[in-house]
Amino acid sequence: MGNSALKAHLETAQKTGVFQLTGKGLTEFPEDLQKLTSNLRTIDLSNNKIELLPPLIGKFSFLKSLILNNNKLTALPEELCKLKKLETLHLNGNHLRQLPAAFGQLAALKTLSLSGNQLRTVPTQLSGLRHLDVVDLSKNQIQNVPDSVGELQAIELNLNQNQISQISVQISHCPRLKVLRLEENCLELSMLPQSILSDSQISLLAVEGNLFEIKKLRELDGYDKYMERFTATKKKFA
């Protein structure tokens, strides 16, 4: 990619606050973006070959949206956690195994998408994020859902296509969780906490493709209570 093309993109970004350069085979984060740390609200570098996010990412203090889908990131720098205004973070299709320790400092984060990475557990750091609406952790290598999930503030949690065989009963305590997706995992019916049905806010539970037949779910205690929530929600949106 030539310098003149990059320059043109930078000039546009200076006016619009949006820098989008996707599918160009970039192997590194464009250093020249430093000139726009106070302009940029959105950076989209999806479908490239970026292996490293440099510490200078922490300087984009007005950034609201960072989209790095389908790159080659194996880790994220702690400096990312300085982005106090970041609301949307899309990192689908990378090679991430964990999140930075200070990830809970991304206080404004609403949407977090980490589908198709190499996470082995639901990151405990997510529990500190007060404004989270949607968390997508599908297509990872998650085997269990830990107790810390009870603190999660998300409205929707997508755990489809993992290897989950155990879920903490604390998941029923999530104060805002309405949609829980657990399709295509390794759950036995006995490992699904009944309190999800009888005693939670969850009004859409997607569990197709596990180690039990869906009709067996209907025989569980609490299924009627779950159906009441499900139906009420459906009416609201109909």
Side-chain angles (χ1 to χ4, degrees):
M1 156 120 193
N3 272 345
S4 56
L6 182 60
K7 201 169 167 223
H9 275 282
L10 288 168
E11 281 170 12
T12 309
Q14 193 163 4
K15 295 181 191 126
T16 60
V18 178
F19 184 84
Q20 186 175 36
L21 199 57
T22 60
K24 295 289 186 224
L26 292 183
T27 52
E28 48 190 55
F29 186 88
E31 294 267 318
D32 284 347
L33 283 184
Q34 283 187 85
K35 299 168 189 164
L36 300 178
T37 48
S38 55
N39 299 65
L40 289 183
R41 304 293 186 268
T42 298
I43 295 176
D44 182 355
L45 294 167
S46 296
N47 303 312
N48 282 297
K49 297 174 179 168
I50 298 168
E51 293 181 20
L52 215 58
L53 201 52
L56 69 88
I57 192 66
K59 294 181 180 167
F60 293 88
S61 39
F62 297 97
L63 201 63
K64 287 192 159 185
S65 181
L66 179 58
I67 305 169
L68 292 162
N69 294 332
N70 304 319
N71 276 283
K72 301 196 165 185
L73 298 170
T74 53
L76 300 170
E78 289 288 339
E79 286 80 1
L80 176 71
C81 308
K82 293 179 180 167
L83 302 179
K84 295 286 184 269
K85 298 196 181 224
L86 195 68
E87 295 178 5
T88 305
L89 180 57
H90 288 281
L91 294 160
N92 300 328
N94 280 282
H95 307 295
L96 299 169
R97 291 170 183 267
Q98 57 193 43
L99 298 179
F103 198 82
Q105 291 173 12
L106 291 171
L109 202 61
K110 291 181 180 173
T111 305
L112 174 62
S113 222
L114 286 160
S115 180
N117 278 281
Q118 294 169 18
L119 299 172
R120 291 180 176 270
T121 183
V122 176
T124 52
Q125 297 94 314
L126 302 187
S127 303
L129 298 167
R130 293 282 163 249
H131 299 287
L132 263 189
D133 290 335
V134 179
V135 180
D136 185 353
L137 300 173
S138 62
K139 300 181 184 171
N140 276 280
Q141 296 162 16
I142 298 170
Q143 295 176 2
N144 69 336
V145 180
D147 288 348
S148 60
V149 76
E151 309 270 313
L152 190 68
Q153 300 286 326
I155 296 168
E156 174 167 345
L157 176 58
N158 185 343
L159 292 165
N160 288 347
Q161 292 178 286
N162 277 285
Q163 299 154 20
I164 296 167
S165 58
Q166 281 184 308
I167 300 181
S168 167
V169 68
Q170 296 295 328
I171 200 161
S172 7
H173 298 161
C174 291
R176 300 167 67 214
L177 192 62
K178 297 276 193 281
V179 178
L180 177 58
R181 302 187 185 280
L182 286 162
E183 296 182 13
E184 296 181 51
N185 276 285
C186 310
L187 281 167
E188 304 270 1
L189 190 58
S190 58
M191 284 300 176
L192 192 70
Q194 293 208 5
S195 53
I196 290 177
L197 298 172
S198 60
D199 194 22
S200 77
Q201 302 285 324
I202 295 165
S203 56
L204 178 65
L205 176 65
V207 286
E208 283 79 6
N210 278 282
L211 306 178
F212 59 86
E213 291 178 51
I214 290 296
K215 63 179 185 209
K216 290 269 190 270
L217 188 67
R218 299 177 198 140
E219 294 163 14
L220 291 182
D221 283 346
Y223 188 78
D224 298 348
K225 276 189 170 173
Y226 162 69
M227 278 316 288
E228 280 171 26
R229 296 192 303 273
F230 177 80
T231 313
T233 307
K234 256 186 137 166
K235 280 188 183 137
K236 204 161 89 179
F237 290 111

